[in-house]
Amino acid sequence: MKILDQSEDPSPAISYAGLIEKIEILRSMLRWASKLERADIEKVLRQASALRDEVMQLSHKERFVQAVAEPARVELSRGARREALLARSFIFEGTFGDNPQLLESLEIAEKAAPTDLPVLIDGESGTGKELMAKVIHANGSRADKPFISVNCGAIPENLLESELFGHRKGAFTGASGDRKGKFESAHMGTIFLDEIGELPLAGQVKLLRVLEAHEIQRVGSDETIAVDTRIVAATNRNLRRLSEEGKFREDLFYRLSVIHITLPPLRERRDEIPLLLAYFSDEAAGILKRRPVRLTPRLRDFLLCYAYPGNIRELRNVMYRISCLAGDTADIEHLPVDVRPSSASPAAATAASVVPNLMSLGDAKRAASDEAEKVFLERGLQEVGGTVAELARRVDMNRSHLQMLLKKHGLHSKDFRHRNGQPRDKESGSG
């Protein structure tokens, strides 16, 4: 049986990820074949599985060099790469900047999304791993099917098998009826296994069987149930190191990490902070049913330069807190106590808290550049009376990009529209 015929493929070689995908398609077709005997199907499935394992054992660099980069890709600037993703209608719930590592992760996600290959996402806690999993789901062929999220670290070990695979009535004390597991609920869709590194070894064996056979057994039942589920896993731990220590199965690691995505921490993506402040301010305002809160210059400076050890999750929580506690305007005192700068003096607070958190001279330059950009946009909107289309024409800028910049700086065109020939009072906080 021929998996790859070079005479039919004009390219000199197929990517390893592409080969794995072809093997997976073959396995899926054989599993449902009606004209072959079951023994023959099992034999070919075993052969395909063995070949797949051989491919997956190859080095990370060799496997993905063609999966993440086109053969003769022209080097683009960060901004151009970001705009190219948006121009291709890449669905992303939220906002992102032009950090090279994040752009690479998004480009890998874009290529992986249309396939059914397993994806492993790693990164510090709060970097947006579940959001990335939803991005992969939303841009794939299963977007209209269920997305089921499972926190592997939050399920007691004695209930893990029942949660993932379901149980039959009477299988154990308290099993008063048949129950579907997460894998059945995610049939034809995507299952997101968060904190996969916390999965006990017994659970790892069960999960490996699902990846190999695409079948599950409910607790207390001998019947196998076929499941067609795309698996995306996430962890904030080093699974390769855990596998070397015998705490995580090496074969499971290789099966989960066919596509491997690493998300950088927010401190390495500081260009996103103004975007995220505006995004979560608007989100909080919508939930609280109020206008977006305005930030004093002192608070905005602090939030732009704060280190965010909890990453995006911490920034989101901070914005929700100050949106709830503040009136129209938020200041330093609305921050959580453990986040506030220690000095009571406003000037000293800014100096003591902002400067030490600046990671480089480049950060200071970017902050100054952001402020200049905001002033430029404010003056432009005043001149055109808040008409975004006219401002885009005057500065020769794509309208959608201009709207993104306005959102980044919390500027609302309606605040600059003229009323009886006079500009309105501007309420352009960071919402």
Side-chain angles (χ1 to χ4, degrees), residues 175-203:
S176 56
D178 290 354
R179 181 177 181 274
K180 274 186 179 182
K182 301 295 186 182
F183 271 88
E184 277 188 86
S185 298
H187 182 59
M188 301 304 293
T190 300
I191 187 166
F192 174 58
L193 302 175
D194 197 10
E195 297 192 35
I196 190 71
E198 306 299 326
L199 196 66
L201 287 170

Side-chain angles (χ1 to χ4, degrees), residues 3-15 22 66 71:
I3 296 178
L4 176 64
D5 186 343
Q6 290 290 348
S7 65
E8 298 172 0
D9 187 352
S11 62
I14 188 171
S15 69
K22 286 180 176 290
Q66 293 182 11

